[in-house]
Structure formats: C-alpha cells, structure tokens
Amino acid sequence: MKRSFQSTVYIIFVIVTFIALAKSFMVYENPFNLYENPLVWLALIGFILVLVLKEVVNTLAVKRATELQNEKDGIVPEASNVWIQKLLKSWTKAKGIEQEEEIVLDHNYDGIKELDNSLPPWWVYMFYATIIFAVVYLVRFEVLDGDNQIVEYDKAVAEAKAELNKYRATATDLITSDNVVLLTDAKDLGRGKAIFNLNCASCHLGDGGGSIGPNLTDEYWILGGGIKNVFNTIHNGGRDGKGMIAWDKTLKSADIAKVASYVISLQGTTPAVAKAPQGEKWSAE
C-alpha cells in the first residue's frame, strides 16, 4: 500500500512538472537560449536530476535488498569488481599481503622493515615519456633552432591583428571612432540617455553638470569634443592612471555610439549645478 502510494505521488509529480515546464517554454520566444532564459534551463536540469536521483535510489534500494536476502539465505555472490582488482594489480605490480615475505629487505631498523616492491608500470611509462619529450624538445629548439615561446606569441598576435584588420575592413555594421556618426533620432538618444543614467550619471550627474567627472554641457573637453573623440573616450577610457574606465568590454559599439550622441546633445544645456570647465575649448574643424 505504501509503495503504491509513493509511486502514484511520483507519477503525479512527473506529469504536473512536465506540463508546467512545457507551458513555461511556450511563454518565451527563444526558450532554449541559455543566456536569455537561465531559469528555464535551471528548472529543466532540476527536473532531470530529480528523475535520475529517483532511479539511483531505487537501484541502490533493490541492490541492498538483494544483498540482505542473499545474506539471509547464506548465498555468497561472486565479487563484481574482480576485473578492477586485476587491472590495479597489473598497473602496480605490488605483491599481496600474503606474499610480502618474499620482498622484505634484509635491513631492520628498530623493528621496521622495508618492502622491495617494483615501480608501478604507469609510473615507469610516464618516466620514459618524459625522456622522449626531453629529447624531442632538445632537438626541436636547440639543434633545429625552432621558434621559442616569445617568437610564437609575437607571430600569433600578428596573425590575430591581421585577421582583425581584415574583419574591420569587410564588416559593414562595425562601429569605430573612424566611422561613427552623430545620431539624432529620438529613439537612439533615448537609448543613449538610459545607458548614461545607468552607467555615467554617478560621476557626471544626471543632467551632465559634472561631479567626480567633468561637466559635459560646456564647450571645454579634456580629450576633445565631437562625436569621434567622445566615442573614442568612452570606448577606450580616459587618461592613464586617472579618469574614466574603458567601456568597450561592457557596452556594445552601437550603444557607445548612442550614449556618445546623447552626451553631445547635452551641449548648451543648463545643469542644476555646473562644475567648473576642464580641459580646452573645443571647436569643430
């Protein structure tokens, strides 16, 4: 009775959980996207783990019950891990306890004796492998004068830069300080304002008047004004050792262009508290 009740509860749990997961998957446009919907994946993994653990517990319980019944009936089952023991023995060549008298060394110190076991084959093979590696390494880098790690690194960096330049030359949607343009669309500026309030207002204030960072509403710029300079400053950061961090690892290039355009739109506005001008007066060429 108890077992049938547990089975019924388990079946109901599986069915209800499966239906709930199926409905939750239907809510999202891309339910299997791990980055967009991590909770869906966590629920799915948790559900699978419950099923697996249930089967593991059942298997262990059946195995334990069989062992107890065999013990009660006086049945001694054959060891199931004989092959493991044979494998370990072949890879260690260690003598068993009953054979240790054959390999006891003659010297005795305070009643302590030492066994003369052979080295494990796996250890010997690894030692031979290190010798072969050393010979190959010696010939490769000392005799044949192969590239060392520094030369290989420089070549890899040069290849990566060449690939990056090739990508930049062919990518049509890649925004850099060379091809960025001032955005004036209300939707783009709205996105730029949202990014500014989230990441920049803590140092420049919400109206751009400046606090820790400089005033963004006047004509003076530390690293140059204009959309290209502002984009480059946000992308690569301010002056070394001080100033703003680089945001290229946090923001996409398109978002940097939008927030840079929003910063430019603050020119000529009147903040509540304006910080004193910093840098040099900027005039577009």
Side-chain angles (χ1 to χ4, degrees):
M1 179 65 181
K2 182 178 180 181
R3 181 173 296 179
S4 62
F5 174 75
Q6 292 177 347
S7 300
T8 304
V9 172
Y10 175 69
I11 294 173
I12 294 175
F13 166 78
V14 171
I15 295 175
V16 172
T17 306
F18 179 79
I19 294 175
L21 284 174
K23 288 188 175 181
S24 65
F25 274 42
M26 296 170 61
V27 172
Y28 297 99
E29 183 177 353
N30 299 312
F32 294 103
N33 189 309
L34 177 60
Y35 296 101
E36 292 182 8
N37 311 302
L39 293 179
V40 174
W41 276 95
L42 288 175
L44 180 60
I45 293 173
F47 177 63
I48 294 175
L49 285 177
V50 170
L51 298 182
V52 172
L53 289 175
K54 174 67 166 54
E55 295 304 320
V56 170
V57 170
N58 285 344
T59 303
L60 293 177
V62 171
K63 182 179 179 181
R64 181 56 180 166
T66 303
E67 291 176 352
L68 292 175
Q69 186 62 41
N70 289 337
E71 183 179 346
K72 183 178 179 180
D73 298 338
I75 301 174
V76 180
E78 295 182 0
S80 59
N81 58 349
V82 174
W83 66 274
I84 298 179
Q85 296 175 0
K86 291 182 179 180
L87 179 64
L88 292 176
K89 187 174 181 179
S90 66
W91 276 89
T92 57
K93 286 190 175 180
K95 296 285 186 179
I97 297 178
E98 64 279 357
Q99 299 174 309
E100 286 185 350
E101 293 183 358
E102 303 175 7
I103 56 174
V104 175
L105 296 178
D106 294 334
H107 62 80
N108 184 325
Y109 183 80
D110 227 6
I112 300 175
K113 297 182 180 181
E114 183 179 357
L115 299 179
D116 188 23
N117 266 318
S118 301
L119 288 172
W122 64 266
W123 191 96
V124 176
Y125 297 151
M126 288 184 64
F127 179 69
Y128 292 155
T130 59
I131 296 176
I132 296 173
F133 176 83
V135 173
V136 174
Y137 188 91
L138 178 66
V139 173
R140 174 72 173 84
F141 293 102
E142 300 299 331
V143 178
L144 301 179
D145 195 24
D147 294 340
N148 58 30
Q149 292 177 336
I150 296 177
V151 175
E152 290 179 350
Y153 171 78
D154 291 338
K155 286 184 177 180
V157 171
E159 292 176 1
K161 287 183 177 180
E163 291 293 330
L164 181 60
N165 293 332
K166 181 180 178 181
Y167 169 73
R168 287 177 174 175
T170 56
T172 58
D173 57 346
L174 181 64
I175 301 176
T176 65
S177 57
D178 296 325
N179 62 11
V180 65
V181 295
L182 182 65
L183 304 175
T184 57
D185 184 76
K187 184 178 180 180
D188 293 332
L189 294 179
R191 171 66 176 171
K193 182 179 180 180
I195 298 171
F196 181 90
N197 291 334
L198 181 62
N199 301 289
C200 314
S202 57
C203 293
H204 297 282
L205 298 186
D207 56 8
S211 176
I212 300 174
N215 185 351
L216 301 177
T217 64
D218 57 29
E219 300 177 293
Y220 293 83
W221 297 86
I222 298 176
L223 296 175
I227 185 62
K228 295 184 182 298
N229 287 321
V230 174
F231 179 93
N232 185 67
T233 301
I234 299 173
H235 188 277
N236 298 321
R239 297 161 291 175
D240 293 337
K242 56 182 177 179
M244 184 175 64
I245 63 171
W247 288 92
D248 59 320
K249 300 295 188 299
T250 306
L251 301 176
K252 298 179 180 178
S253 296
D255 285 338
I256 295 178
K258 292 173 184 178
V259 71
S261 298
Y262 174 74
V263 169
I264 297 296
S265 72
L266 295 176
Q267 287 285 286
T269 60
T270 305
V273 179
K275 190 176 181 179
Q278 294 175 272
E280 299 179 359
K281 187 174 182 178
W282 168 262
S283 58
E285 296 180 359

